[in-house]
């Protein structure tokens, strides 16, 4: 009987491993299709894990990513950095979801727009220990929004220039 139970447990483990691998493949596909990155920040050690961090994904020259907060902060547009830090502190303090939009500057000086969302995790004493979340490249949407605003502005100028007697 013990041998039979052992076989059942091994079979169940095989099935569970197979399902886990399938779920992992589906998750990777969804992340790639959505241009979504997963991150986790160890607040105590100030280390950041960024899934599949590859320099080419963020337009950097190939180098070693050491996973430090400062490395990530250095990517953020200087005009956005203070606001991003304030939003992070606010989310931690209020135990609320983080949602922040910001720009990053790549080595070729091009700008990418990022939407980042995350949650803070606390220990038993109520102290924040880590944040984790997702970041999406929203550059295409930001550029489309800018073009729409420019078009609306031009159309308004044309409408304002038409004499009142024409309509």
């Amino acid at each position: 009987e013990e041998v039979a139970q052992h076989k059942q447990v091994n079979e169940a483990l095989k099935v569970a491993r197979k399902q886990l691998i399938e779920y992992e493949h589906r998750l990777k596909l969804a992340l790639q299709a959505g241009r979504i990155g997963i991150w986790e920040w160890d607040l105590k050690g100030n280390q950041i894990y960024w899934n599949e961090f590859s320099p080419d994904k963020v337009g950097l020259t190939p180098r070693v990513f050491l996973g430090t907060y400062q490395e990530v902060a250095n990517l953020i547009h200087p005009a956005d950095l203070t606001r991003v830090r304030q939003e992070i502190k606010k989310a931690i303090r209020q135990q609320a979801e983080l949602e922040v939009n910001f720009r990053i500057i790549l080595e070729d000086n091009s700008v990418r727009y990022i939407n980042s969302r995350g949650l803070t995790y606390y220990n038993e004493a109520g102290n924040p220990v880590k944040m984790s979340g997702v970041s999406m490249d929203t550059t295409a949407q930001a550029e489309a929004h800018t073009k729409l605003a420019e078009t609306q502005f031009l159309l308004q100028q044309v409408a304002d220039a038409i004499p009142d007697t024409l309509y």
Side-chain angles (χ1 to χ4, degrees), residues 150-161:
E150 289 171 353
T151 301
Q152 288 174 332
F153 176 75
L154 289 174
L155 286 173
Q156 188 60 50
Q157 284 186 320
V158 168
D160 291 346

Side-chain angles (χ1 to χ4, degrees), residues 13-166:
L13 282 173
K14 284 181 187 177
V15 170
R17 282 187 188 114
K18 183 179 178 189
Q19 288 177 335
L20 184 60
I21 289 169
E22 289 172 359
Y23 291 141
E24 185 179 2
H25 289 299
R26 290 181 193 136
L27 176 61
K28 283 183 179 181
L29 177 64
L31 293 172
Q32 289 171 349
R35 297 184 55 109
I36 300 170
I38 298 174
W39 53 267
E40 186 170 291
W41 179 14
D42 171 7
L43 297 171
K44 224 173 188 178
N46 219 14
Q47 290 294 113
I48 295 177
Y49 162 79
W50 194 342
N51 76 311
E52 299 180 11
F53 181 89
S54 61
D56 59 304
K57 283 189 179 181
V58 290
L60 303 172
T61 337
R63 63 176 173 75
V64 176
F65 175 65
L66 300 175
T68 66
Y69 169 80
Q70 193 55 49
E71 281 182 287
V72 175
N74 287 341
L75 294 173
I76 299 174
H77 192 290
D80 297 344
L81 187 56
T82 299
R83 182 178 48 77
V84 169
R85 285 182 173 149
Q86 289 170 344
E87 290 295 324
I88 291 169
K89 287 177 185 176
K90 177 179 160 189
I92 292 172
R93 189 176 58 252
Q94 295 180 356
Q95 297 188 7
E97 180 180 344
L98 169 70
E99 181 173 4
V100 63
N101 294 296
F102 57 93
R103 297 164 291 172
I104 59 172
I105 301 176
L106 306 180
E107 288 181 348
D108 65 0
N109 287 322
S110 63
V111 174
R112 307 295 299 171
Y113 291 79
I114 305 295
N115 172 269
S116 196
R117 303 181 100 160
L119 296 173
T120 306
Y121 297 86
Y122 303 83
N123 63 17
E124 299 79 31
N127 298 316
V129 291
K130 77 174 182 177
M131 289 187 89
S132 64
V134 296
S135 292
M136 291 180 25
D137 183 337
T138 58
T139 303
Q141 294 94 319
E143 289 174 347
H145 185 272
T146 300
K147 287 192 187 311
L148 177 62
E150 289 171 353
T151 301
Q152 288 174 332
F153 176 75
L154 289 174
L155 286 173
Q156 188 60 50
Q157 284 186 320
V158 168
D160 291 346
I162 295 173
D164 289 339
T165 56
L166 291 179

